[in-house]
Amino acid sequence: MSGRSGHTAGAFDIRTVIALLFVIYGAVLVVVSLVQPHTEVDKSAGVNINLWAGVGMLVFAAVFIAWARLRPIRVPDEPAETAEQ
């Protein structure tokens, strides 16, 4: 690995946390879109807004997870030395 030392941030990477939140909200919207009455869909010109927003959030979460896995943040094993004054 080109001289890099340390370990990855893993679950503490902010991209993972954001992706998890988008997965939760996206899944809730998809479930709501499947159980909502047809009259609610008619209010939005026949477009199931909850379904499309939920799918969009799940795709966004997948992109964030892929980004975190392909380009992990490296955390050094040893603390950086502070400059003495």
Side-chain angles (χ1 to χ4, degrees):
M1 288 200 164
S2 69
R4 290 174 150 183
S5 64
H7 59 278
T8 60
F12 298 107
D13 188 352
I14 190 69
R15 297 172 294 185
T16 306
V17 175
I18 292 171
L20 178 63
L21 288 173
F22 271 90
V23 165
I24 292 169
Y25 292 139
V28 167
L29 282 176
V30 168
V31 169
V32 166
S33 74
L34 297 175
V35 298
Q36 71 185 358
H38 189 66
T39 56
E40 295 294 321
V41 175
D42 291 338
K43 290 181 182 179
S44 60
V47 177
N48 196 340
I49 298 291
N50 288 333
L51 176 65
W52 288 108
V55 169
M57 287 184 173
L58 292 174
V59 168
F60 184 79
V63 168
F64 259 54
I65 290 171
W67 180 25
R69 296 289 182 241
L70 294 173
R71 304 277 311 221
I73 293 177
R74 295 273 176 204
V75 180
D77 288 331
E78 298 175 7
E81 294 182 24
T82 58
E84 295 181 24
Q85 295 179 6

